[in-house]
Amino acid sequence: MTFSSFLTYFSPSKTPARYLLRPLCLVSFALLTSCSLTEIDSSNDFANNGRDTTALKRDTLYLKESLPPGLPLPDASFQAGLEQQIAYLNRLQDKPYLLENTQTSVADLKRVASEINDWLHNPAQQPQLIAHQLAGQDQRGNVQITGYYVPILPVRHTPDDVYRYPLYRKPTQRNAEGKFPSREEIDFESALAGQGLEIAYTSSLVDNFFLHVQGSGVVEYENGERKLLSWGGVNGHAYRSLGKELIERGEIDRAHISAQSIRQWLSDHPDRNREILSTNPSYLFFSEGPENPVGAANVPLTPLYSAAVDPSVIPLGSILLAQVPKLDPYGNLIGHEFRLLLAQDKGGAIKGPGHIDWYQGIGEEAHFHAGQLKHFGKVWLLLPKTPAPQILIAQ
């Protein structure tokens, strides 16, 4: 997102995870239940959330492990995304990335991309890589995997009685404290009116909020013209999860929290929209971008393969092995599957080692799948067996 997830704005935790064999913890069921309540935010502690409570805890950000016997072979769209990733890495000067106990570099990320690219052209040739498992939110390797997508939103060039809620470019004027206005000041007190910042007008502040959550989206004007609005900055105010707020107020049960349930609650309580929306003072601005959605790495996003990450934990341009949730049509977890992901995006709410955001695509089907994802999986950062000269990978 320069995008970022539905539940990014809706769920309280924010960052990634994946699957390998490990010893079981010899603890009682009661203790496991207790760990579930204390190691993750209570709003994420629902039945069948995909969290592995038997995994051993560790004190480091990354744990070095062997690759599984075979990497999951992606479909053809991954190749296009990988080529964009390689182009991004080739634009960077070499530099180190210090990831707590693990050190890598741009040169290493290029080598990983090259190994994966060679493997795609010759699957019998196994990539020479090492998997470094992310600690996760609970230090047991459990990473919450939420989904995000690019909506298509009807808009108008000029306001009328229905389409009267602006989408804004980032302002240049700050107040005396050097701050931009809060969400409540912008949406309910017209703090940005008269500055010529309006890009388009929608028919719903709730739609605007969801577009802010996504970080970008396609807007369609009355004449059929479509434009991509990309992430254009934020107001700098602290982020507050709307999903967590509604859970804590007892409005939505934590097991049922999703983009769809939040939108339905707002629809059912129009008189409380200002009260609830304003609990998240963070506000996102837009810029008119290229035709295809792009992420923070300034490359087009690939549906089901791009991911938004915290770059202080996972460098942009990394390739990840992830054990992502598999859901039934009702949003219930039915298992996990391995998938290669491209770290090409970031988001204001994606922080730390406990959450990544998985890009689902454009339109309503992508919206549906993104809204259901809130479950835990596991994530590995792929690095070369032989790192670039003078770069030591922590053991």
Side-chain angles (χ1 to χ4, degrees):
M1 171 172 109
T2 298
F3 272 91
S4 278
S5 129
F6 255 142
L7 293 211
T8 280
Y9 267 60
F10 301 144
S11 73
S13 78
K14 320 285 166 213
T15 313
R18 212 38 85 255
Y19 161 129
L20 287 183
L21 295 177
R22 56 178 55 78
L24 298 181
C25 295
L26 299 178
V27 292
S28 69
F29 175 78
L31 180 57
L32 288 178
T33 303
S34 173
C35 288
S36 177
L37 290 172
T38 58
E39 292 178 346
I40 62 171
D41 192 281
S42 60
S43 59
N44 294 330
D45 186 43
F46 55 91
N48 197 30
N49 65 2
R51 181 169 171 257
D52 178 6
T53 57
T54 67
L56 292 174
K57 296 196 73 168
R58 79 288 298 272
D59 297 326
T60 58
L61 178 64
Y62 281 103
L63 179 66
K64 183 177 175 180
E65 299 182 309
S66 299
L67 279 178
L71 291 175
L73 191 65
D75 65 29
S77 66
F78 178 87
Q79 180 69 60
L82 180 62
E83 290 171 0
Q84 294 287 347
Q85 184 122 319
I86 292 171
Y88 164 72
L89 291 169
N90 285 337
R91 294 195 295 267
L92 301 180
Q93 292 185 339
D94 195 23
K95 62 179 180 179
Y97 296 106
L98 304 178
L99 309 173
E100 196 178 279
N101 66 311
T102 299
Q103 184 173 333
T104 187
S105 66
V106 171
D108 283 345
L109 301 185
K110 289 180 180 178
R111 186 171 299 186
V112 172
S114 177
E115 290 275 350
I116 295 293
N117 191 46
D118 291 344
W119 168 69
L120 290 176
H121 290 93
N122 182 13
Q125 179 180 320
Q126 185 75 356
Q128 298 301 299
L129 303 173
I130 295 176
H132 294 250
Q133 190 189 16
L134 194 60
Q137 187 180 10
D138 56 3
Q139 297 295 112
R140 296 181 187 275
N142 291 292
V143 176
Q144 190 181 39
I145 300 177
T146 54
Y148 71 108
Y149 79 110
V150 177
I152 300 174
L153 189 61
V155 298
R156 299 290 184 266
H157 286 99
T158 56
D160 57 29
D161 290 342
V162 175
Y163 291 85
R164 52 195 176 93
Y165 302 104
L167 298 171
Y168 289 108
R169 300 178 183 88
K170 188 174 182 177
T172 57
Q173 303 174 22
R174 302 173 185 258
N175 63 19
E177 289 76 38
K179 296 182 178 179
F180 293 121
S182 67
R183 176 176 299 280
E184 183 166 31
E185 292 169 326
I186 294 171
D187 279 347
F188 299 101
E189 298 175 7
S190 302
L192 297 183
Q195 298 183 34
L197 300 170
E198 296 84 358
I199 296 175
Y201 295 86
T202 76
S203 61
S204 167
L205 277 179
V206 173
D207 285 344
N208 288 11
F209 182 88
F210 277 69
L211 191 63
H212 294 166
V213 169
Q214 295 309 123
S216 73
V218 175
V219 294
E220 185 173 70
Y221 292 93
E222 61 271 28
N223 60 359
E225 176 190 13
R226 286 187 177 184
K227 286 188 177 179
L228 174 69
L229 300 189
S230 298
W231 187 91
V234 292
N235 66 347
H237 289 248
Y239 164 79
R240 169 68 176 169
S241 163
L242 206 65
K244 184 175 182 180
E245 184 72 30
L246 289 169
I247 290 170
E248 291 180 351
R249 292 181 182 224
E251 300 291 344
I252 303 178
D253 185 87
R254 69 171 61 96
H256 301 131
I257 199 72
S258 68
Q260 287 88 346
S261 66
I262 293 169
R263 184 182 280 275
Q264 186 61 53
W265 189 95
L266 291 168
S267 176
D268 293 340
H269 301 84
D271 56 321
R272 298 183 63 189
N273 278 5
R274 177 172 182 169
E275 170 197 351
I276 296 300
L277 293 177
S278 297
T279 62
N280 178 15
S282 179
Y283 198 92
L284 188 134
F285 305 109
F286 297 100
S287 61
E288 294 172 283
E291 292 183 5
N292 296 316
V294 298
N298 199 29
V299 299
L301 297 175
T302 305
L304 302 180
Y305 290 108
S306 293
V309 300
D310 180 349
S312 70
V313 174
I314 299 173
L316 290 179
S318 301
I319 298 179
L320 308 174
L321 175 64
Q323 187 187 19
V324 298
K326 291 177 63 178
L327 307 180
D328 68 16
Y330 304 100
N332 300 308
L333 182 71
I334 56 175
H336 290 85
E337 65 179 355
F338 280 114
R339 178 172 286 270
L340 291 174
L341 298 179
L342 302 166
Q344 297 177 328
D345 208 355
K346 63 181 181 179
I350 309 294
K351 299 295 183 186
H355 179 206
I356 66 170
D357 222 5
W358 182 20
Y359 177 57
Q360 300 295 295
I362 300 175
E364 281 308 303
E365 183 177 356
H367 175 189
F368 175 78
H369 294 300
Q372 289 185 317
L373 282 164
K374 57 184 177 181
H375 304 75
F376 288 91
K378 294 178 182 150
V379 171
W380 290 266
L381 172 64
L382 298 181
L383 295 177
K385 280 188 176 179
T386 306
Q390 300 180 348
I391 298 293
L392 291 178
I393 305 302
Q395 301 301 310

